[in-house]
Short mmCIF file of all heavy atoms in Angstrom, two decimals:
data_model
loop_
_atom_site.label_atom_id
_atom_site.label_comp_id
_atom_site.label_asym_id
_atom_site.label_seq_id
_atom_site.Cartn_x
_atom_site.Cartn_y
_atom_site.Cartn_z
N PRO A 1142 98.50 112.91 90.67
CA PRO A 1142 99.77 112.49 90.07
C PRO A 1142 100.87 113.52 90.31
O PRO A 1142 100.62 114.73 90.35
CB PRO A 1142 99.44 112.37 88.58
CG PRO A 1142 98.30 113.32 88.38
CD PRO A 1142 97.50 113.29 89.65
N LEU A 1143 102.09 113.03 90.45
CA LEU A 1143 103.25 113.88 90.70
C LEU A 1143 104.08 114.09 89.45
O LEU A 1143 104.14 113.22 88.58
CB LEU A 1143 104.14 113.25 91.78
CG LEU A 1143 103.54 113.11 93.17
CD1 LEU A 1143 104.42 112.22 94.04
CD2 LEU A 1143 103.33 114.47 93.82
N GLU A 1144 104.72 115.22 89.36
CA GLU A 1144 105.73 115.43 88.33
C GLU A 1144 106.99 114.68 88.74
O GLU A 1144 107.28 114.55 89.94
CB GLU A 1144 106.02 116.92 88.17
CG GLU A 1144 104.82 117.75 87.72
CD GLU A 1144 105.17 119.22 87.68
OE1 GLU A 1144 106.09 119.60 86.92
OE2 GLU A 1144 104.53 119.99 88.42
N PHE A 1145 107.75 114.22 87.77
CA PHE A 1145 108.94 113.45 88.09
C PHE A 1145 109.97 113.59 86.99
O PHE A 1145 109.68 114.07 85.89
CB PHE A 1145 108.58 111.97 88.28
CG PHE A 1145 108.06 111.29 87.04
CD1 PHE A 1145 108.91 110.65 86.15
CD2 PHE A 1145 106.69 111.28 86.76
CE1 PHE A 1145 108.43 110.03 85.01
CE2 PHE A 1145 106.20 110.67 85.62
CZ PHE A 1145 107.07 110.04 84.74
N VAL A 1146 111.19 113.17 87.30
CA VAL A 1146 112.27 113.09 86.31
C VAL A 1146 112.84 111.68 86.36
O VAL A 1146 112.79 111.02 87.40
CB VAL A 1146 113.39 114.12 86.58
CG1 VAL A 1146 112.87 115.53 86.42
CG2 VAL A 1146 113.99 113.92 87.97
N MET A 1147 113.36 111.23 85.23
CA MET A 1147 114.01 109.92 85.20
C MET A 1147 115.47 110.10 85.61
O MET A 1147 116.16 110.99 85.10
CB MET A 1147 113.92 109.31 83.81
CG MET A 1147 112.49 109.05 83.32
SD MET A 1147 111.53 107.98 84.43
CE MET A 1147 112.51 106.46 84.39
N ASP A 1148 115.92 109.25 86.53
CA ASP A 1148 117.29 109.36 87.02
C ASP A 1148 117.81 107.97 87.35
O ASP A 1148 117.06 106.98 87.37
CB ASP A 1148 117.35 110.27 88.25
CG ASP A 1148 118.76 110.77 88.54
OD1 ASP A 1148 119.67 110.52 87.73
OD2 ASP A 1148 118.94 111.42 89.60
N ALA A 1149 119.09 107.88 87.65
CA ALA A 1149 119.72 106.60 87.97
C ALA A 1149 119.02 105.94 89.16
O ALA A 1149 118.60 106.60 90.10
CB ALA A 1149 121.19 106.81 88.28
N ALA A 1150 118.92 104.63 89.11
CA ALA A 1150 118.30 103.87 90.20
C ALA A 1150 119.31 103.70 91.33
O ALA A 1150 119.77 102.60 91.63
CB ALA A 1150 117.81 102.52 89.68
N TYR A 1151 119.65 104.83 91.95
CA TYR A 1151 120.68 104.80 92.98
C TYR A 1151 120.12 104.33 94.32
O TYR A 1151 118.92 104.38 94.58
CB TYR A 1151 121.31 106.18 93.14
CG TYR A 1151 120.35 107.28 93.54
CD1 TYR A 1151 120.11 107.55 94.88
CD2 TYR A 1151 119.69 108.04 92.58
CE1 TYR A 1151 119.24 108.55 95.25
CE2 TYR A 1151 118.81 109.04 92.93
CZ TYR A 1151 118.59 109.30 94.27
OH TYR A 1151 117.71 110.29 94.64
N GLY A 1152 121.03 103.87 95.18
CA GLY A 1152 120.64 103.42 96.50
C GLY A 1152 119.98 102.05 96.53
O GLY A 1152 119.45 101.64 97.54
N MET A 1153 120.00 101.33 95.40
CA MET A 1153 119.29 100.05 95.32
C MET A 1153 120.18 98.94 94.80
O MET A 1153 119.70 97.90 94.34
CB MET A 1153 118.07 100.20 94.40
CG MET A 1153 117.01 101.16 94.93
SD MET A 1153 116.19 100.54 96.41
CE MET A 1153 115.27 99.18 95.73
N ARG A 1154 121.50 99.10 94.89
CA ARG A 1154 122.42 98.10 94.35
C ARG A 1154 122.24 96.74 95.04
O ARG A 1154 122.32 95.68 94.41
CB ARG A 1154 123.87 98.58 94.49
CG ARG A 1154 124.87 97.80 93.65
CD ARG A 1154 124.61 98.03 92.16
NE ARG A 1154 125.53 97.29 91.32
CZ ARG A 1154 126.69 97.79 90.87
NH1 ARG A 1154 127.05 99.02 91.17
NH2 ARG A 1154 127.46 97.07 90.09
N LYS A 1155 121.98 96.76 96.34
CA LYS A 1155 121.80 95.52 97.08
C LYS A 1155 120.54 94.77 96.65
O LYS A 1155 120.39 93.58 96.91
CB LYS A 1155 121.75 95.80 98.58
CG LYS A 1155 123.10 96.17 99.18
CD LYS A 1155 122.99 96.37 100.68
CE LYS A 1155 124.35 96.67 101.29
NZ LYS A 1155 125.26 95.52 101.21
#
Side-chain angles (χ1 to χ4, degrees):
L1143 295 169
E1144 298 176 61
F1145 65 90
V1146 295
M1147 298 303 299
D1148 198 6
Y1151 60 90
M1153 295 293 290
R1154 195 66 181 268
K1155 288 183 177 293

